[in-house]
Amino acid sequence: QSNSVPFDYLDCLSYLRLMSSYWLGQYERAVYYAERKLGDERSKFRIVTSEFYNGLALIGMFRRKRTSALMKRIKTSITELNGAAEHSQWNFQNKEYLLMAELSSISNQSNVAILEWYDKAIDRAKRSKFIHEEGLACELAGCHCSSVGERSIALTYFSEAKKCYSEWGSRMKVKF
């Protein structure tokens, strides 16, 4: 008998580390795990999903330190998601829309345009039954609204995020 750990187990563990790093706000760590996944051609779905979390984490880093290098990497992530969404709207369009919403937010576009992207991301996630990504889109929309002083709209989005996270079973996100 071999004492080695199955390869797929390690691959899955690395992917879960990527996602949990993003969800816990550890953006640099999430980018580290994402970039390890991006060169791996074994699972196109995981590569595209890694690109999604990579883009979100890069945007989180950009909010702290605005650099042209980060912006270029963010736009690369969006381009990858756009291509994936062309092949499977059901799996990837909500992710593309959410990255566009976040890009619009950090680019200081009009609030109406920004909220349209968030609402599209929320709607598409809901239609695809990705409850955790619907919650994430609501949460990020709430953060955006809060940052521009739209407190009552932010509370509405946060309330929806809490419902989604509760339905998803994430006690940590519901308590947060």
Side-chain angles (χ1 to χ4, degrees):
Q1 287 209 3
S2 171
N3 288 333
S4 67
V5 177
F7 181 77
D8 289 341
Y9 173 78
L10 294 176
D11 182 51
C12 200
L13 181 61
S14 177
Y15 181 70
L16 290 173
R17 285 180 175 163
L18 158 63
M19 290 188 351
S20 63
S21 295
Y22 172 76
W23 284 91
L24 295 172
Q26 299 170 340
Y27 303 131
E28 289 82 1
R29 179 178 280 177
V31 167
Y32 167 78
Y33 285 116
E35 290 180 350
R36 287 179 54 192
K37 301 298 305 161
L38 295 177
D40 184 353
E41 290 295 325
R42 288 171 293 184
S43 171
K44 189 65 173 168
F45 178 81
R46 279 203 198 119
I47 291 169
V48 175
T49 306
S50 295
E51 194 68 71
F52 169 62
Y53 283 104
N54 188 48
L56 289 174
L58 290 166
I59 289 167
M61 291 169 58
F62 187 86
R63 288 184 195 283
R64 292 187 217 147
K65 184 177 180 182
R66 294 175 175 263
T67 68
S68 59
L70 283 174
M71 181 57 76
K72 183 178 179 182
R73 290 168 66 195
I74 291 164
K75 289 181 178 180
T76 298
S77 291
I78 291 171
T79 299
E80 289 296 319
L81 264 291
N82 178 271
E86 287 177 10
H87 294 290
S88 178
Q89 290 181 358
W90 186 81
N91 278 316
F92 301 115
Q93 196 162 52
N94 70 299
K95 296 167 181 62
E96 175 194 14
Y97 288 164
L98 186 53
L99 286 178
M100 289 302 300
E102 287 286 275
L103 176 63
S104 298
S105 179
I106 62 175
S107 300
N108 298 317
Q109 293 183 8
S110 80
N111 203 43
V112 172
I114 295 167
L115 292 180
E116 284 178 10
W117 281 116
Y118 282 118
D119 290 340
K120 284 181 177 182
I122 293 163
D123 180 63
R124 181 52 82 165
K126 185 180 292 189
R127 290 196 290 159
S128 296
K129 305 215 185 307
F130 295 149
I131 191 74
H132 62 297
E133 291 175 3
E134 180 185 347
L136 178 60
C138 289
E139 179 183 357
L140 293 175
C143 289
H144 166 76
C145 289
S146 181
S147 75
V148 297
E150 297 284 348
R151 306 272 184 223
S152 63
I153 298 171
L155 287 174
T156 301
Y157 280 117
F158 287 139
S159 176
E160 285 301 309
K162 185 175 180 177
K163 288 178 194 174
C164 292
Y165 291 144
S166 180
E167 186 177 329
W168 185 39
S170 176
R171 286 177 280 208
M172 180 196 71
K173 291 297 279 183
V174 170
K175 288 180 183 179
F176 182 68

